[in-house]
Every structure is written in structure tokens, then in C-alpha cells.
Amino acid sequence: NATVPRISLILRKAYGGAYIVMDSRSIGADLSFAWPTNEIAVMGAEGAANVVFRREIAASDTPETTRAQLVKEYTAELMHPYYAAERGLVDDVIDPADTRRVLIDAVAMLSAKHALLPARKHGNPPL
């Protein structure tokens, strides 16, 4: 119910429910930025590869080698901020050196944000 500008910056890892509830775009953040070194995913690459590729790993003659290769491929293809930007999870991937300027510009852009105030700001009404 926040009526102030909401900006998120993902610096490192943002996994699963923790990412969602820390003011992600999906729950109403106005802007979301990411550094190029971050990871946004349901879970880490190791755990995800074990779930997604379990049959291939089990069928392999060398399961540890296969697992390591699949984790490497999964990381390269899906665990980078540009994939998150393509999916609309973040608005932009920014250079860490530009963070201050980008955040100042974002606050300036959102300074005129006007949200309709709820009838009652606080409380936990039944749905």
C-alpha cells in the first residue's frame, strides 16, 4: 500500500520468494535495476539443474561430470541479469559506477508520483 516511490536495486543474488517479497516488479515496485553481476532465479543453478535435468544426470555414465556441465550451461543461459531484463523482471541493467546517478534520476522522475490514497492507510481488512 506504499504511496511513495518504490525503487529496487539488485546487487547480487535474488532467488525465489525472497526476491519477490523484497519489492520486486511483480508486487508493485515502480522501477527495478540490476547490476551486471547479479542472478535472479527461482533457485541457485546447482539446485535448479538437479531438478530440471535429473533424468539426464541419472542416465549418464558419469553423473558428476554431466551435472557440472549442465550447471555450467544453465548458469550461462539463464542466470544473468540480461535474461531477467528480457523477461521484464528488471527495467535496466546498470553499471555499478552509475548507480548513484541512476537512482537520483529515478527518484527525480518519480517525485511527481501520485497514488490514490486508500480509504484507510493502515489496517488488515478481511478480503
Side-chain angles (χ1 to χ4, degrees), residues 14-126:
Y15 293 149
Y19 159 69
I20 293 169
V21 300
M22 293 301 289
D23 206 22
S24 66
R25 293 287 303 184
S26 63
I27 63 168
D30 296 313
L31 293 170
S32 182
F33 301 106
W35 281 0
T37 55
N38 84 9
E39 298 174 1
I40 300 173
V42 174
M43 63 177 69
E46 185 77 31
N50 288 337
V51 172
V52 174
F53 303 115
R54 70 180 175 277
R55 290 187 184 124
E56 290 139 59
I57 293 169
S60 173
D61 293 334
T62 55
E64 289 304 317
T65 305
T66 303
R67 177 182 289 113
Q69 180 61 32
L70 291 170
V71 166
K72 187 176 179 181
E73 290 174 14
Y74 186 90
T75 301
E77 292 177 22
L78 303 174
M79 300 288 289
H80 55 82
Y82 302 103
Y83 181 75
E86 289 170 9
R87 294 264 192 251
L89 300 174
V90 295
D91 294 305
D92 197 6
V93 178
I94 63 171
D95 184 345
D98 295 333
T99 301
R100 184 180 177 95
R101 180 190 54 78
V102 169
L103 293 178
I104 289 170
D105 291 346
V107 170
M109 180 182 75
L110 293 170
S111 66
K113 176 184 175 180
H114 178 72
L116 296 174
L117 296 175
R120 182 173 173 176
K121 178 81 173 171
H122 300 285
N124 190 12

